[in-house]
Amino acid sequence: MRLPTPSDPYPLGGAPLPCLIGGELVRTGRTFDNLSPVNGRLVGTVTEADATLVDRAVQAARAALRGPWGRLSLAERCALLRRIADRIEARAAEFVAAEIADTGKTLQQASSVDIPRGWTNFRAYADLALARSSECFEMATADGRGALNYSVHKPVGVVAVIAPWNLPFLLLTWKVAPALACGNTVVAKPSEETPSTAALLAEVMQEAGLPPGVFNLVHGFGPGSTGEALVSHPDVNAVAFTGESATGAAIMKNAADSVKALSFELGGKNAALVFADADFEAALAGTMRSVFSNCGQVCLCSERVYIERPMFERFVEALARGARALKIGGPYEGADIGPLISRTHRDKVLSYYRLARSEHGELVCGGGVPSFGDERDGGAFIEPTIMRGLAENARCVKEEIFGPVCHVAPFESEEEAVHLANDTRYGLAAAIWTSNLQRAHRVARQMEVGIAWVNDWFLRDLRTPFGGVKLSGIGREGGAHSLAFCSEPINICVKL
Ligand code: NAD
Ligand code: 6OD
């Protein structure tokens, strides 16, 4: 893959980013600004879709269900998905540059995780949809001739896809790909913070030859704006949403009147459990990654790190050394972590750093804002931070912060470790570090989460169930789970 350089122009410069509705690029004059979190400068302006435009997008998606798209065979649809993947890969440098422009994330993160996962999502769901089988049950009947039940998968209809800003392209395509693979049409809304890779995806959809109206893109905000209009639209059949738990609750209310199918991937307050028998270096490197990757802005990040007492002080010292050594900087500077997504989000994370002090915690390292003496001081950079000494019911230990921060605490026994990990209203992911195989299996199955990693973190096989329990979500995505959400099975019972 050719990597972009800082001198590459923003790939979508010029007119405001348009919405894509029924195959037409639409600009209305109603726009909002997209600011760079690296320096606060304007990246570009974006067309905001109001309720009228959202309605047009939904109607275009409905109409496309009855058009050529609805008549394509599964193999033809999957060939289109592969063409989309190929076009993304061919334009990878633009996608990486666009993701970086919106988020400020490091070149390494965008080019090795975010964008490759985008094209992989399309290929994976093309493979999965083609390999899917359907159920068949033979039954006995009173006349002795029997009957055959078999199921056929039909599309759900119009699927609304709403994505957050932390892994914008990865998470948007993660939901768009299975929806299209199953023959649905889509109205996608990226986060207002990160419109650019979605805008490039709209171009790619057209290049790949997707019929008009199959993929529609609306930009805008959530409450009282594009997002709310989309999820309450009566002609949207299903909503696939990733974002905050509170937003999931709001969407649920607005989707209730038309009883839409919902798939929610929500927030987390994930625990890492480091047992004293763990490989120290592997656990340390893994925990550095699980706390600080993407500047802590991954729903799976470990914000609570529990370490078995005999290893506690040594592990905390090493973790703090690692955190202090992280290079903070702009996307093209070879930094380990970039900025948070915005000044507003930084204010929220800093408020937790202050709260930790007032909750009688100690900041082992970090807690502030770095100073560069250049334009990056206008950005949203923040110091990686480790807290200790907080009570288990402190807000910093209970609430999702979504920054480069964790609280560390010791545990005395396996039972206590399990109790601490599960003592939260969230239930997304856990990371368990141990060299005791029996303990690994025993502890993992006691985790009240959707995803438990043993001796690794964020190792993904796209066929596996992905999602959370409690406040962390509804349903599972990944593999057969996404295909099931995106399809309506119809059982056909044939009397023989
Ligand atoms: P957010 O909930 O603020 O916004 C997500 C999306 O929802 C955006 O596109 C936003 O415009 C839209 N939105 C907001 N209010 C809406 C409403 N009332 N109706 C319809 N749409 C609305 O989340 P965020 O701040 O963009 O992302 C960070 C959050 O996402 C964190 O809580 C993180 O844990 C979570 N997240 C979860 C997962 C997961 O897989 N479980 C993955 C990534 C992020
Ligand atoms: O890897 C994935 O499929 C996925 N949904 C990751 C989510 C990360 C949260 O920020």
Side-chain angles (χ1 to χ4, degrees):
M1 179 202 315
R2 184 183 81 75
L3 295 179
T5 65
S7 54
D8 281 12
Y10 170 61
L12 291 145
L17 293 188
C19 296
L20 176 69
I21 297 178
E24 193 193 326
L25 297 176
V26 179
R27 295 183 177 87
T28 59
R30 180 180 171 133
T31 61
F32 60 93
D33 290 344
N34 176 16
L35 301 180
S36 164
V38 175
N39 49 29
R41 285 214 231 122
L42 186 71
V43 173
T45 56
V46 187
T47 301
E48 182 186 356
D50 61 8
T52 308
L53 224 51
V54 168
D55 179 56
R56 272 178 60 191
V58 174
Q59 296 315 333
R62 281 234 83 76
L65 286 167
R66 301 185 294 271
W69 175 248
R71 294 189 289 277
L72 290 185
S73 68
L74 173 62
E76 288 168 326
R77 275 205 311 272
C78 292
L80 265 175
L81 258 69
R82 287 183 208 292
R83 216 176 303 153
I84 293 165
D86 292 346
R87 291 303 308 150
I88 298 168
E89 194 168 0
R91 297 182 63 181
E94 287 171 83
F95 275 92
V96 170
E99 200 76 303
I100 280 175
D102 287 357
T103 61
K105 64 178 67 195
T106 63
L107 178 62
Q108 201 273 339
Q109 162 80 27
S111 64
S112 66
V113 180
D114 295 64
I115 303 308
R117 255 302 293 280
W119 71 66
T120 304
N121 285 337
F122 283 101
R123 288 196 186 125
Y125 279 106
D127 290 347
L128 285 160
L130 274 175
R132 173 157 67 159
S133 59
S134 63
E135 293 167 295
C136 179
F137 297 98
E138 274 185 73
M139 67 182 286
T141 56
D143 63 9
R145 283 158 54 191
L148 195 62
N149 291 276
Y150 68 96
S151 60
V152 173
H153 303 291
K154 294 169 55 168
V156 171
V158 176
V159 178
V161 172
I162 302 188
W165 46 256
N166 62 321
L167 302 173
F169 191 58
L170 184 162
L171 290 169
L172 190 80
T173 51
W174 174 240
K175 293 177 191 305
V176 169
L180 295 182
C182 295
N184 300 283
T185 57
V186 168
V187 181
K189 194 201 89 61
S191 167
E192 57 276 23
E193 306 278 5
T194 51
S196 299
T197 45
L200 282 176
L201 181 64
E203 292 183 7
V204 157
M205 294 293 188
Q206 295 196 300
E207 289 167 12
L210 213 66
V214 174
F215 175 82
N216 304 275
L217 176 66
V218 289
H219 294 289
F221 300 84
S225 174
T226 322
E228 189 175 317
L230 185 56
V231 299
S232 38
H233 197 293
D235 288 331
V236 167
N237 301 95
V239 179
F241 167 74
T242 301
E244 282 190 23
S245 304
T247 309
I251 290 177
M252 218 169 180
K253 287 183 190 131
N254 286 323
D257 282 344
S258 40
V259 198
K260 298 186 200 318
L262 301 174
S263 177
F264 282 176
E265 293 186 344
L266 306 176
K269 187 73 184 177
N270 311 301
L273 299 181
V274 185
F275 287 90
D277 61 20
D279 174 329
F280 187 89
E281 292 306 327
L284 181 63
T287 305
M288 283 294 296
R289 242 171 24 90
S290 79
V291 175
F292 299 116
S293 285
N294 204 40
C295 201
Q297 301 167 115
V298 180
C299 59
L300 309 158
C301 276
S302 315
E303 290 195 3
R304 300 178 296 138
V305 180
Y306 297 106
I307 304 137
E308 199 166 5
R309 177 74 75 186
M311 199 194 258
F312 181 72
E313 292 300 342
R314 183 172 158 233
F315 195 85
V316 172
E317 223 169 84
L319 197 63
R321 223 176 9 257
R324 285 191 202 99
L326 287 174
K327 183 177 171 204
I328 310 171
Y332 297 99
E333 296 165 17
D336 299 303
I337 59 172
L340 293 172
I341 189 66
S342 64
R343 281 289 183 111
T344 310
H345 186 52
R346 185 172 77 175
D347 288 346
K348 176 185 156 189
V349 177
L350 284 172
S351 77
Y352 280 101
Y353 289 5
R354 283 193 300 277
L355 186 63
R357 294 186 180 99
S358 67
E359 285 183 320
H360 311 295
E362 177 196 336
L363 295 188
V364 182
C365 63
V369 164
S371 172
F372 297 98
D374 57 35
E375 65 165 12
R376 290 172 296 178
D377 291 335
F381 293 91
I382 193 164
E383 288 175 352
T385 295
I386 298 175
M387 307 167 171
R388 68 183 283 178
L390 287 164
E392 276 302 307
N393 63 359
R395 282 184 52 205
C396 287
V397 181
K398 287 287 171 248
E399 297 173 14
E400 183 186 48
I401 302 174
F402 219 55
V405 54
C406 68
H407 180 251
V408 292
F411 66 85
E412 310 291 343
S413 67
E414 185 179 305
E415 293 66 33
E416 191 193 4
V418 169
H419 168 76
L420 289 167
N422 289 337
D423 188 15
T424 165
R425 297 181 71 208
Y426 291 98
L428 188 56
I432 300 157
W433 298 93
T434 177
S435 55
N436 178 332
L437 199 57
Q438 285 177 326
R439 164 179 283 151
H441 289 284
R442 192 168 56 232
V443 171
R445 63 171 55 218
Q446 291 178 77
M447 292 293 97
E448 294 169 4
V449 295
I451 310 137
W453 277 287
V454 174
N455 295 331
D456 213 322
W457 176 78
F458 206 174
L459 182 61
R460 294 282 290 116
D461 178 329
L462 305 189
R463 297 168 299 181
T464 58
F466 185 97
V469 301
K470 306 191 216 171
L471 279 186
S472 293
I474 298 182
R476 293 290 181 278
E477 298 187 351
H481 299 269
S482 291
L483 297 180
F485 177 73
C486 294
S487 311
E488 289 289 6
I490 168 170
N491 184 66
I492 299 174
C493 178
V494 183
K495 175 72 172 50
L496 300 173

